[in-house]
Amino acid sequence: MTIYNLGSINIDHVYRLPVLPRAGETMHALSYAQGLGGKGANQSVAAARAGTPVVHLGALGTAEDWVIARLAAAGVDTSGIVRLADTATGHAIILVDASGENSIVLHGGANMALPADLPERAAFGPGDLLLMQNETSLQVQTAARARSAGTRVIYSAAPFEIEALRAVLPHVSILAVNAIEARDTFAAFGEDLPIEGLLITRGAEGAEFRDLQGGQSWHQPAFRVAAVDTTGAGDCFAGWFAAGLARGEDAPTALRHAAAAAAVQVTRAGAGDAMPDRAEVMAFLKAQG
Ligand code: ADP
């Protein structure tokens, strides 16, 4: 059971400032931190730390070897990541003021310039899973190829774009959305979606999985923790949920493990770097009794 993840890889540059700069203003940052981000990389790290084989399909520029090293250290198979000359690695410039308010500039770079033959690097088969999010090119082509090989496709509709979702939906098995994305999805397509299942996460209110073919649904409350940074919580949840399904867990078990992983993740700063491993998640669940 391999998880393939057609996913974005971003470098997050985080600058703390007293206030956000106005147009025309230049300001010294109080601090700077660099981290691994991108919804794709976050989900790959989460699923790999959950103990599932993960092959990441993506691209980055020719510098920044540390990104590959960090993904590999998390247990991600990086053989499906191509290096593109003359293309910037995807990145986010994140400005955070003293009150925690932020302004973000995102540049897709290599994530949006994936070579057309990239999906061929995946040896899709029945029992495998393909994860995708809306931060790369080649979504429809890769999803169609996976489905024709009997591989289920889990799609995170984030950042939410109606047209991207409309294009990929015929190839999606399970749609993963947060509360706001769920509302937008239902407004556009109704609740009776032509897919196998729907995963909705609702922050501190928990998550639910609807089996749209069997008609059953399960709700998983969030675990109560002191959250310090919820960046990447949804990716942690999606990665762990996918890992659970790939391991043959039933939906309620996969939901419970994903909720525990996300609860641990939000107690730490960072996104990809904050994903817990299986031992940490099992220890957390044991401590919950
Ligand atoms: P996204 O980051 O995509 O908006 P959510 O905010 O819905 O995703 O969070 C995903 C999951 O992370 C939730 O379903 C929950 O299990 C967990 N989570 C998020 N915020 C908290 C929190 N404050 N306390 C505990 N768990 C949380």
Side-chain angles (χ1 to χ4, degrees):
M1 306 289 149
T2 299
I3 293 180
Y4 294 94
N5 183 6
L6 178 80
S8 57
I9 303 170
N10 282 340
I11 297 174
D12 290 343
H13 301 275
V14 184
Y15 302 85
R16 295 204 170 263
L17 301 150
V19 293
L20 298 176
R22 292 162 299 173
E25 191 174 14
T26 300
M27 201 182 274
H28 278 288
L30 299 172
S31 69
Y32 167 71
Q34 182 177 263
L36 177 59
K39 300 187 69 62
N42 292 345
Q43 293 189 7
S44 277
V45 170
R49 292 225 171 115
T52 312
V54 179
V55 178
H56 192 99
L57 305 171
L60 68 165
T62 46
E64 292 120 358
D65 290 340
W66 65 268
V67 172
I68 299 277
R70 199 169 296 180
L71 286 169
V76 177
D77 180 333
T78 61
S79 62
I81 299 175
V82 295
R83 310 299 292 270
L84 302 178
D86 306 322
T87 305
T89 295
H91 57 272
I93 306 291
I94 304 170
L95 310 182
V96 186
D97 77 9
S99 72
E101 185 63 71
N102 62 35
S103 291
I104 301 176
V105 178
L106 195 59
H107 179 63
N111 298 316
M112 299 306 293
L114 302 178
D117 61 355
L118 186 69
E120 291 162 27
R121 294 197 176 209
F124 293 125
D128 294 334
L129 284 173
L130 171 66
L131 285 179
M132 298 197 320
Q133 319 77 32
N134 186 28
E135 283 187 340
T136 67
S137 51
L138 298 184
Q139 292 171 33
V140 173
Q141 297 90 319
T142 312
R145 188 179 166 90
R147 284 301 290 274
S148 67
T151 294
R152 291 156 89 201
V153 175
I154 303 182
Y155 183 68
S156 294
F160 189 86
E161 280 178 298
I162 291 279
E163 290 315 317
L165 179 55
R166 192 189 306 282
V168 82
L169 202 55
H171 310 292
V172 170
S173 312
I174 295 174
L175 179 66
V177 285
N178 68 16
I180 297 163
E181 293 150 6
R183 191 196 59 200
D184 292 347
T185 300
F186 295 156
F189 304 102
E191 296 207 19
D192 191 17
L193 297 164
I195 54 176
E196 185 187 319
L198 176 66
L199 175 68
I200 308 176
T201 61
R202 302 185 191 277
E205 288 172 30
E208 72 177 276
F209 180 70
R210 299 184 191 174
D211 174 349
L212 296 175
Q213 286 169 343
Q216 241 187 318
S217 65
W218 297 269
H219 179 258
Q220 171 65 51
F223 291 94
R224 291 185 62 150
V225 291
V228 299
D229 181 357
T230 60
T231 314
D235 295 329
C236 182
F237 200 107
W240 268 79
F241 186 75
L245 296 187
R247 293 163 67 92
E249 291 173 3
D250 58 18
T253 306
L255 281 176
R256 182 172 157 78
H257 290 171
V264 174
Q265 196 265 351
V266 302
T267 63
R268 303 170 178 170
D273 300 321
M275 301 299 171
D277 66 18
R278 180 159 291 270
E280 290 172 302
V281 170
M282 292 307 140
F284 175 86
L285 281 171
K286 201 168 169 200
Q288 297 292 311

PDB file of all heavy atoms in Angstrom, residues 54-93:
ATOM      1  N   VAL A  54       5.445   6.543   1.477  1.00  0.00           N
ATOM      2  CA  VAL A  54       4.947   7.715   0.747  1.00  0.00           C
ATOM      3  C   VAL A  54       5.945   8.085  -0.343  1.00  0.00           C
ATOM      4  O   VAL A  54       7.129   8.279  -0.065  1.00  0.00           O
ATOM      5  CB  VAL A  54       4.783   8.945   1.674  1.00  0.00           C
ATOM      6  CG1 VAL A  54       4.294  10.147   0.867  1.00  0.00           C
ATOM      7  CG2 VAL A  54       3.826   8.645   2.807  1.00  0.00           C
ATOM      8  N   VAL A  55       5.455   8.172  -1.568  1.00  0.00           N
ATOM      9  CA  VAL A  55       6.269   8.660  -2.688  1.00  0.00           C
ATOM     10  C   VAL A  55       5.747  10.045  -3.045  1.00  0.00           C
ATOM     11  O   VAL A  55       4.583  10.185  -3.427  1.00  0.00           O
ATOM     12  CB  VAL A  55       6.166   7.733  -3.917  1.00  0.00           C
ATOM     13  CG1 VAL A  55       6.978   8.305  -5.077  1.00  0.00           C
ATOM     14  CG2 VAL A  55       6.625   6.325  -3.574  1.00  0.00           C
ATOM     15  N   HIS A  56       6.594  11.050  -2.896  1.00  0.00           N
ATOM     16  CA  HIS A  56       6.157  12.413  -3.231  1.00  0.00           C
ATOM     17  C   HIS A  56       6.417  12.679  -4.704  1.00  0.00           C
ATOM     18  O   HIS A  56       7.526  12.438  -5.201  1.00  0.00           O
ATOM     19  CB  HIS A  56       6.888  13.443  -2.367  1.00  0.00           C
ATOM     20  CG  HIS A  56       6.274  14.809  -2.466  1.00  0.00           C
ATOM     21  ND1 HIS A  56       5.409  15.300  -1.522  1.00  0.00           N
ATOM     22  CD2 HIS A  56       6.386  15.757  -3.421  1.00  0.00           C
ATOM     23  CE1 HIS A  56       5.001  16.499  -1.903  1.00  0.00           C
ATOM     24  NE2 HIS A  56       5.583  16.804  -3.048  1.00  0.00           N
ATOM     25  N   LEU A  57       5.407  13.197  -5.407  1.00  0.00           N
ATOM     26  CA  LEU A  57       5.545  13.604  -6.806  1.00  0.00           C
ATOM     27  C   LEU A  57       5.502  15.124  -6.836  1.00  0.00           C
ATOM     28  O   LEU A  57       4.484  15.718  -6.479  1.00  0.00           O
ATOM     29  CB  LEU A  57       4.393  13.043  -7.648  1.00  0.00           C
ATOM     30  CG  LEU A  57       4.177  11.530  -7.607  1.00  0.00           C
ATOM     31  CD1 LEU A  57       2.867  11.163  -8.302  1.00  0.00           C
ATOM     32  CD2 LEU A  57       5.341  10.801  -8.262  1.00  0.00           C
ATOM     33  N   GLY A  58       6.599  15.763  -7.224  1.00  0.00           N
ATOM     34  CA  GLY A  58       6.611  17.221  -7.209  1.00  0.00           C
ATOM     35  C   GLY A  58       7.888  17.754  -7.819  1.00  0.00           C
ATOM     36  O   GLY A  58       8.644  17.016  -8.467  1.00  0.00           O
ATOM     37  N   ALA A  59       8.109  19.041  -7.634  1.00  0.00           N
ATOM     38  CA  ALA A  59       9.287  19.672  -8.235  1.00  0.00           C
ATOM     39  C   ALA A  59       9.777  20.824  -7.381  1.00  0.00           C
ATOM     40  O   ALA A  59       9.011  21.446  -6.645  1.00  0.00           O
ATOM     41  CB  ALA A  59       8.956  20.178  -9.639  1.00  0.00           C
ATOM     42  N   LEU A  60      11.063  21.077  -7.490  1.00  0.00           N
ATOM     43  CA  LEU A  60      11.651  22.279  -6.907  1.00  0.00           C
ATOM     44  C   LEU A  60      12.830  22.726  -7.755  1.00  0.00           C
ATOM     45  O   LEU A  60      13.217  22.033  -8.703  1.00  0.00           O
ATOM     46  CB  LEU A  60      12.010  22.127  -5.426  1.00  0.00           C
ATOM     47  CG  LEU A  60      13.107  21.222  -4.937  1.00  0.00           C
ATOM     48  CD1 LEU A  60      13.451  21.588  -3.499  1.00  0.00           C
ATOM     49  CD2 LEU A  60      12.653  19.798  -4.953  1.00  0.00           C
ATOM     50  N   GLY A  61      13.357  23.905  -7.439  1.00  0.00           N
ATOM     51  CA  GLY A  61      14.491  24.440  -8.179  1.00  0.00           C
ATOM     52  C   GLY A  61      15.747  23.637  -7.902  1.00  0.00           C
ATOM     53  O   GLY A  61      15.712  22.591  -7.233  1.00  0.00           O
ATOM     54  N   THR A  62      16.872  24.118  -8.409  1.00  0.00           N
ATOM     55  CA  THR A  62      18.104  23.328  -8.288  1.00  0.00           C
ATOM     56  C   THR A  62      18.866  23.613  -6.999  1.00  0.00           C
ATOM     57  O   THR A  62      19.760  22.855  -6.636  1.00  0.00           O
ATOM     58  CB  THR A  62      19.023  23.587  -9.500  1.00  0.00           C
ATOM     59  OG1 THR A  62      19.089  24.988  -9.723  1.00  0.00           O
ATOM     60  CG2 THR A  62      18.474  22.911 -10.749  1.00  0.00           C
ATOM     61  N   ALA A  63      18.532  24.698  -6.309  1.00  0.00           N
ATOM     62  CA  ALA A  63      19.171  24.947  -5.016  1.00  0.00           C
ATOM     63  C   ALA A  63      18.362  24.234  -3.926  1.00  0.00           C
ATOM     64  O   ALA A  63      17.532  23.375  -4.224  1.00  0.00           O
ATOM     65  CB  ALA A  63      19.246  26.449  -4.773  1.00  0.00           C
ATOM     66  N   GLU A  64      18.588  24.568  -2.712  1.00  0.00           N
ATOM     67  CA  GLU A  64      17.760  24.078  -1.602  1.00  0.00           C
ATOM     68  C   GLU A  64      17.715  22.555  -1.465  1.00  0.00           C
ATOM     69  O   GLU A  64      16.646  21.944  -1.307  1.00  0.00           O
ATOM     70  CB  GLU A  64      16.324  24.631  -1.736  1.00  0.00           C
ATOM     71  CG  GLU A  64      16.248  26.114  -1.521  1.00  0.00           C
ATOM     72  CD  GLU A  64      15.714  26.885  -2.734  1.00  0.00           C
ATOM     73  OE1 GLU A  64      15.434  26.266  -3.770  1.00  0.00           O
ATOM     74  OE2 GLU A  64      15.637  28.118  -2.636  1.00  0.00           O
ATOM     75  N   ASP A  65      18.899  21.931  -1.511  1.00  0.00           N
ATOM     76  CA  ASP A  65      18.968  20.486  -1.292  1.00  0.00           C
ATOM     77  C   ASP A  65      18.433  20.088   0.088  1.00  0.00           C
ATOM     78  O   ASP A  65      18.001  18.953   0.291  1.00  0.00           O
ATOM     79  CB  ASP A  65      20.422  20.005  -1.421  1.00  0.00           C
ATOM     80  CG  ASP A  65      20.917  20.072  -2.864  1.00  0.00           C
ATOM     81  OD1 ASP A  65      20.072  20.111  -3.784  1.00  0.00           O
ATOM     82  OD2 ASP A  65      22.150  20.099  -3.056  1.00  0.00           O
ATOM     83  N   TRP A  66      18.480  21.050   1.038  1.00  0.00           N
ATOM     84  CA  TRP A  66      18.031  20.728   2.402  1.00  0.00           C
ATOM     85  C   TRP A  66      16.569  20.304   2.422  1.00  0.00           C
ATOM     86  O   TRP A  66      16.148  19.545   3.294  1.00  0.00           O
ATOM     87  CB  TRP A  66      18.266  21.906   3.359  1.00  0.00           C
ATOM     88  CG  TRP A  66      17.452  23.147   3.064  1.00  0.00           C
ATOM     89  CD1 TRP A  66      17.825  24.201   2.294  1.00  0.00           C
ATOM     90  CD2 TRP A  66      16.125  23.453   3.543  1.00  0.00           C
ATOM     91  NE1 TRP A  66      16.821  25.142   2.252  1.00  0.00           N
ATOM     92  CE2 TRP A  66      15.781  24.715   3.008  1.00  0.00           C
ATOM     93  CE3 TRP A  66      15.209  22.796   4.364  1.00  0.00           C
ATOM     94  CZ2 TRP A  66      14.551  25.328   3.271  1.00  0.00           C
ATOM     95  CZ3 TRP A  66      13.985  23.404   4.624  1.00  0.00           C
ATOM     96  CH2 TRP A  66      13.664  24.658   4.085  1.00  0.00           C
ATOM     97  N   VAL A  67      15.796  20.790   1.444  1.00  0.00           N
ATOM     98  CA  VAL A  67      14.376  20.432   1.397  1.00  0.00           C
ATOM     99  C   VAL A  67      14.227  18.931   1.140  1.00  0.00           C
ATOM    100  O   VAL A  67      13.460  18.234   1.814  1.00  0.00           O
ATOM    101  CB  VAL A  67      13.650  21.257   0.306  1.00  0.00           C
ATOM    102  CG1 VAL A  67      12.225  20.768   0.116  1.00  0.00           C
ATOM    103  CG2 VAL A  67      13.667  22.739   0.669  1.00  0.00           C
ATOM    104  N   ILE A  68      14.989  18.435   0.173  1.00  0.00           N
ATOM    105  CA  ILE A  68      14.967  17.003  -0.143  1.00  0.00           C
ATOM    106  C   ILE A  68      15.437  16.204   1.074  1.00  0.00           C
ATOM    107  O   ILE A  68      14.831  15.192   1.445  1.00  0.00           O
ATOM    108  CB  ILE A  68      15.897  16.707  -1.343  1.00  0.00           C
ATOM    109  CG1 ILE A  68      15.432  17.467  -2.591  1.00  0.00           C
ATOM    110  CG2 ILE A  68      15.994  15.208  -1.605  1.00  0.00           C
ATOM    111  CD1 ILE A  68      14.328  16.819  -3.372  1.00  0.00           C
ATOM    112  N   ALA A  69      16.505  16.695   1.690  1.00  0.00           N
ATOM    113  CA  ALA A  69      17.064  15.980   2.845  1.00  0.00           C
ATOM    114  C   ALA A  69      16.042  15.914   3.985  1.00  0.00           C
ATOM    115  O   ALA A  69      15.912  14.875   4.653  1.00  0.00           O
ATOM    116  CB  ALA A  69      18.342  16.675   3.313  1.00  0.00           C
ATOM    117  N   ARG A  70      15.299  17.008   4.168  1.00  0.00           N
ATOM    118  CA  ARG A  70      14.349  17.011   5.280  1.00  0.00           C
ATOM    119  C   ARG A  70      13.163  16.088   4.995  1.00  0.00           C
ATOM    120  O   ARG A  70      12.677  15.395   5.896  1.00  0.00           O
ATOM    121  CB  ARG A  70      13.869  18.438   5.572  1.00  0.00           C
ATOM    122  CG  ARG A  70      13.268  18.508   6.965  1.00  0.00           C
ATOM    123  CD  ARG A  70      13.023  19.895   7.441  1.00  0.00           C
ATOM    124  NE  ARG A  70      14.230  20.692   7.602  1.00  0.00           N
ATOM    125  CZ  ARG A  70      14.219  21.956   8.021  1.00  0.00           C
ATOM    126  NH1 ARG A  70      13.079  22.540   8.327  1.00  0.00           N
ATOM    127  NH2 ARG A  70      15.341  22.624   8.147  1.00  0.00           N
ATOM    128  N   LEU A  71      12.702  16.067   3.753  1.00  0.00           N
ATOM    129  CA  LEU A  71      11.619  15.140   3.399  1.00  0.00           C
ATOM    130  C   LEU A  71      12.084  13.700   3.576  1.00  0.00           C
ATOM    131  O   LEU A  71      11.369  12.869   4.133  1.00  0.00           O
ATOM    132  CB  LEU A  71      11.177  15.377   1.950  1.00  0.00           C
ATOM    133  CG  LEU A  71      10.342  16.640   1.697  1.00  0.00           C
ATOM    134  CD1 LEU A  71      10.207  16.906   0.201  1.00  0.00           C
ATOM    135  CD2 LEU A  71       8.962  16.519   2.334  1.00  0.00           C
ATOM    136  N   ALA A  72      13.306  13.423   3.110  1.00  0.00           N
ATOM    137  CA  ALA A  72      13.844  12.066   3.224  1.00  0.00           C
ATOM    138  C   ALA A  72      14.000  11.672   4.690  1.00  0.00           C
ATOM    139  O   ALA A  72      13.695  10.535   5.082  1.00  0.00           O
ATOM    140  CB  ALA A  72      15.175  11.964   2.485  1.00  0.00           C
ATOM    141  N   ALA A  73      14.437  12.627   5.516  1.00  0.00           N
ATOM    142  CA  ALA A  73      14.615  12.334   6.944  1.00  0.00           C
ATOM    143  C   ALA A  73      13.288  12.003   7.612  1.00  0.00           C
ATOM    144  O   ALA A  73      13.239  11.248   8.585  1.00  0.00           O
ATOM    145  CB  ALA A  73      15.277  13.520   7.635  1.00  0.00           C
ATOM    146  N   ALA A  74      12.198  12.557   7.057  1.00  0.00           N
ATOM    147  CA  ALA A  74      10.872  12.252   7.614  1.00  0.00           C
ATOM    148  C   ALA A  74      10.355  10.904   7.113  1.00  0.00           C
ATOM    149  O   ALA A  74       9.293  10.454   7.531  1.00  0.00           O
ATOM    150  CB  ALA A  74       9.883  13.359   7.246  1.00  0.00           C
ATOM    151  N   GLY A  75      11.108  10.294   6.177  1.00  0.00           N
ATOM    152  CA  GLY A  75      10.704   8.978   5.679  1.00  0.00           C
ATOM    153  C   GLY A  75      10.013   9.022   4.330  1.00  0.00           C
ATOM    154  O   GLY A  75       9.488   8.014   3.865  1.00  0.00           O
ATOM    155  N   VAL A  76      10.012  10.187   3.680  1.00  0.00           N
ATOM    156  CA  VAL A  76       9.344  10.324   2.383  1.00  0.00           C
ATOM    157  C   VAL A  76      10.291   9.858   1.275  1.00  0.00           C
ATOM    158  O   VAL A  76      11.465  10.229   1.256  1.00  0.00           O
ATOM    159  CB  VAL A  76       8.943  11.804   2.135  1.00  0.00           C
ATOM    160  CG1 VAL A  76       8.314  11.983   0.751  1.00  0.00           C
ATOM    161  CG2 VAL A  76       7.998  12.288   3.228  1.00  0.00           C
ATOM    162  N   ASP A  77       9.776   9.051   0.340  1.00  0.00           N
ATOM    163  CA  ASP A  77      10.541   8.653  -0.857  1.00  0.00           C
ATOM    164  C   ASP A  77      10.542   9.859  -1.806  1.00  0.00           C
ATOM    165  O   ASP A  77       9.483  10.276  -2.289  1.00  0.00           O
ATOM    166  CB  ASP A  77       9.859   7.445  -1.500  1.00  0.00           C
ATOM    167  CG  ASP A  77      10.581   6.945  -2.748  1.00  0.00           C
ATOM    168  OD1 ASP A  77      11.263   7.755  -3.421  1.00  0.00           O
ATOM    169  OD2 ASP A  77      10.433   5.749  -3.067  1.00  0.00           O
ATOM    170  N   THR A  78      11.727  10.415  -2.056  1.00  0.00           N
ATOM    171  CA  THR A  78      11.829  11.656  -2.840  1.00  0.00           C
ATOM    172  C   THR A  78      12.185  11.390  -4.311  1.00  0.00           C
ATOM    173  O   THR A  78      12.491  12.329  -5.045  1.00  0.00           O
ATOM    174  CB  THR A  78      12.883  12.601  -2.225  1.00  0.00           C
ATOM    175  OG1 THR A  78      14.157  11.932  -2.252  1.00  0.00           O
ATOM    176  CG2 THR A  78      12.540  12.969  -0.791  1.00  0.00           C
ATOM    177  N   SER A  79      12.119  10.112  -4.735  1.00  0.00           N
ATOM    178  CA  SER A  79      12.535   9.791  -6.105  1.00  0.00           C
ATOM    179  C   SER A  79      11.593  10.377  -7.160  1.00  0.00           C
ATOM    180  O   SER A  79      11.942  10.450  -8.334  1.00  0.00           O
ATOM    181  CB  SER A  79      12.656   8.273  -6.290  1.00  0.00           C
ATOM    182  OG  SER A  79      11.394   7.667  -6.092  1.00  0.00           O
ATOM    183  N   GLY A  80      10.408  10.798  -6.749  1.00  0.00           N
ATOM    184  CA  GLY A  80       9.464  11.402  -7.686  1.00  0.00           C
ATOM    185  C   GLY A  80       9.500  12.921  -7.672  1.00  0.00           C
ATOM    186  O   GLY A  80       8.578  13.571  -8.163  1.00  0.00           O
ATOM    187  N   ILE A  81      10.574  13.481  -7.100  1.00  0.00           N
ATOM    188  CA  ILE A  81      10.713  14.945  -7.082  1.00  0.00           C
ATOM    189  C   ILE A  81      11.761  15.335  -8.114  1.00  0.00           C
ATOM    190  O   ILE A  81      12.904  14.881  -8.050  1.00  0.00           O
ATOM    191  CB  ILE A  81      11.133  15.451  -5.686  1.00  0.00           C
ATOM    192  CG1 ILE A  81      10.072  15.066  -4.652  1.00  0.00           C
ATOM    193  CG2 ILE A  81      11.331  16.977  -5.710  1.00  0.00           C
ATOM    194  CD1 ILE A  81      10.444  15.424  -3.225  1.00  0.00           C
ATOM    195  N   VAL A  82      11.352  16.144  -9.078  1.00  0.00           N
ATOM    196  CA  VAL A  82      12.290  16.563 -10.128  1.00  0.00           C
ATOM    197  C   VAL A  82      12.830  17.961  -9.800  1.00  0.00           C
ATOM    198  O   VAL A  82      12.174  18.753  -9.129  1.00  0.00           O
ATOM    199  CB  VAL A  82      11.636  16.556 -11.530  1.00  0.00           C
ATOM    200  CG1 VAL A  82      11.267  15.148 -11.932  1.00  0.00           C
ATOM    201  CG2 VAL A  82      10.416  17.454 -11.578  1.00  0.00           C
ATOM    202  N   ARG A  83      14.046  18.207 -10.264  1.00  0.00           N
ATOM    203  CA  ARG A  83      14.677  19.515 -10.054  1.00  0.00           C
ATOM    204  C   ARG A  83      14.617  20.293 -11.357  1.00  0.00           C
ATOM    205  O   ARG A  83      15.017  19.783 -12.411  1.00  0.00           O
ATOM    206  CB  ARG A  83      16.153  19.323  -9.625  1.00  0.00           C
ATOM    207  CG  ARG A  83      16.347  18.335  -8.491  1.00  0.00           C
ATOM    208  CD  ARG A  83      15.635  18.765  -7.225  1.00  0.00           C
ATOM    209  NE  ARG A  83      16.219  19.954  -6.622  1.00  0.00           N
ATOM    210  CZ  ARG A  83      17.184  19.942  -5.714  1.00  0.00           C
ATOM    211  NH1 ARG A  83      17.701  18.792  -5.320  1.00  0.00           N
ATOM    212  NH2 ARG A  83      17.648  21.064  -5.214  1.00  0.00           N
ATOM    213  N   LEU A  84      14.123  21.502 -11.318  1.00  0.00           N
ATOM    214  CA  LEU A  84      13.939  22.317 -12.511  1.00  0.00           C
ATOM    215  C   LEU A  84      14.935  23.476 -12.510  1.00  0.00           C
ATOM    216  O   LEU A  84      14.931  24.297 -11.581  1.00  0.00           O
ATOM    217  CB  LEU A  84      12.512  22.867 -12.567  1.00  0.00           C
ATOM    218  CG  LEU A  84      11.383  21.829 -12.549  1.00  0.00           C
ATOM    219  CD1 LEU A  84      10.026  22.523 -12.563  1.00  0.00           C
ATOM    220  CD2 LEU A  84      11.491  20.872 -13.723  1.00  0.00           C
ATOM    221  N   ALA A  85      15.761  23.527 -13.562  1.00  0.00           N
ATOM    222  CA  ALA A  85      16.690  24.656 -13.693  1.00  0.00           C
ATOM    223  C   ALA A  85      15.889  25.906 -14.056  1.00  0.00           C
ATOM    224  O   ALA A  85      14.850  25.816 -14.703  1.00  0.00           O
ATOM    225  CB  ALA A  85      17.712  24.347 -14.787  1.00  0.00           C
ATOM    226  N   ASP A  86      16.353  27.042 -13.620  1.00  0.00           N
ATOM    227  CA  ASP A  86      15.735  28.337 -13.960  1.00  0.00           C
ATOM    228  C   ASP A  86      14.295  28.484 -13.461  1.00  0.00           C
ATOM    229  O   ASP A  86      13.524  29.275 -14.008  1.00  0.00           O
ATOM    230  CB  ASP A  86      15.750  28.581 -15.485  1.00  0.00           C
ATOM    231  CG  ASP A  86      17.149  28.455 -16.067  1.00  0.00           C
ATOM    232  OD1 ASP A  86      18.090  28.894 -15.385  1.00  0.00           O
ATOM    233  OD2 ASP A  86      17.295  27.883 -17.159  1.00  0.00           O
ATOM    234  N   THR A  87      13.923  27.685 -12.488  1.00  0.00           N
ATOM    235  CA  THR A  87      12.580  27.839 -11.903  1.00  0.00           C
ATOM    236  C   THR A  87      12.745  27.942 -10.389  1.00  0.00           C
ATOM    237  O   THR A  87      13.476  27.163  -9.786  1.00  0.00           O
ATOM    238  CB  THR A  87      11.697  26.616 -12.237  1.00  0.00           C
ATOM    239  OG1 THR A  87      11.684  26.431 -13.654  1.00  0.00           O
ATOM    240  CG2 THR A  87      10.272  26.815 -11.761  1.00  0.00           C
ATOM    241  N   ALA A  88      12.065  28.904  -9.799  1.00  0.00           N
ATOM    242  CA  ALA A  88      12.173  29.082  -8.348  1.00  0.00           C
ATOM    243  C   ALA A  88      11.429  27.968  -7.619  1.00  0.00           C
ATOM    244  O   ALA A  88      10.370  27.512  -8.079  1.00  0.00           O
ATOM    245  CB  ALA A  88      11.587  30.430  -7.943  1.00  0.00           C
ATOM    246  N   THR A  89      11.977  27.515  -6.515  1.00  0.00           N
ATOM    247  CA  THR A  89      11.232  26.625  -5.632  1.00  0.00           C
ATOM    248  C   THR A  89      10.025  27.398  -5.100  1.00  0.00           C
ATOM    249  O   THR A  89      10.118  28.596  -4.828  1.00  0.00           O
ATOM    250  CB  THR A  89      12.150  26.191  -4.467  1.00  0.00           C
ATOM    251  OG1 THR A  89      13.217  25.418  -5.023  1.00  0.00           O
ATOM    252  CG2 THR A  89      11.400  25.345  -3.447  1.00  0.00           C
ATOM    253  N   GLY A  90       8.898  26.738  -4.990  1.00  0.00           N
ATOM    254  CA  GLY A  90       7.715  27.396  -4.429  1.00  0.00           C
ATOM    255  C   GLY A  90       8.024  27.966  -3.058  1.00  0.00           C
ATOM    256  O   GLY A  90       8.772  27.360  -2.283  1.00  0.00           O
ATOM    257  N   HIS A  91       7.505  29.130  -2.763  1.00  0.00           N
ATOM    258  CA  HIS A  91       7.785  29.704  -1.437  1.00  0.00           C
ATOM    259  C   HIS A  91       6.697  30.650  -0.987  1.00  0.00           C
ATOM    260  O   HIS A  91       5.891  31.136  -1.789  1.00  0.00           O
ATOM    261  CB  HIS A  91       9.157  30.388  -1.410  1.00  0.00           C
ATOM    262  CG  HIS A  91       9.330  31.464  -2.420  1.00  0.00           C
ATOM    263  ND1 HIS A  91       9.777  31.204  -3.692  1.00  0.00           N
ATOM    264  CD2 HIS A  91       9.113  32.793  -2.361  1.00  0.00           C
ATOM    265  CE1 HIS A  91       9.842  32.323  -4.383  1.00  0.00           C
ATOM    266  NE2 HIS A  91       9.434  33.316  -3.600  1.00  0.00           N
ATOM    267  N   ALA A  92       6.688  30.886   0.306  1.00  0.00           N
ATOM    268  CA  ALA A  92       5.745  31.819   0.916  1.00  0.00           C
ATOM    269  C   ALA A  92       6.531  32.826   1.742  1.00  0.00           C
ATOM    270  O   ALA A  92       7.391  32.437   2.535  1.00  0.00           O
ATOM    271  CB  ALA A  92       4.768  31.058   1.808  1.00  0.00           C
ATOM    272  N   ILE A  93       6.261  34.100   1.525  1.00  0.00           N
ATOM    273  CA  ILE A  93       6.828  35.164   2.347  1.00  0.00           C
ATOM    274  C   ILE A  93       5.739  35.522   3.355  1.00  0.00           C
ATOM    275  O   ILE A  93       4.680  36.026   2.977  1.00  0.00           O
ATOM    276  CB  ILE A  93       7.166  36.416   1.488  1.00  0.00           C
ATOM    277  CG1 ILE A  93       8.062  36.053   0.314  1.00  0.00           C
ATOM    278  CG2 ILE A  93       7.747  37.528   2.368  1.00  0.00           C
ATOM    279  CD1 ILE A  93       9.457  35.658   0.672  1.00  0.00           C
TER     280      ILE A  93
END
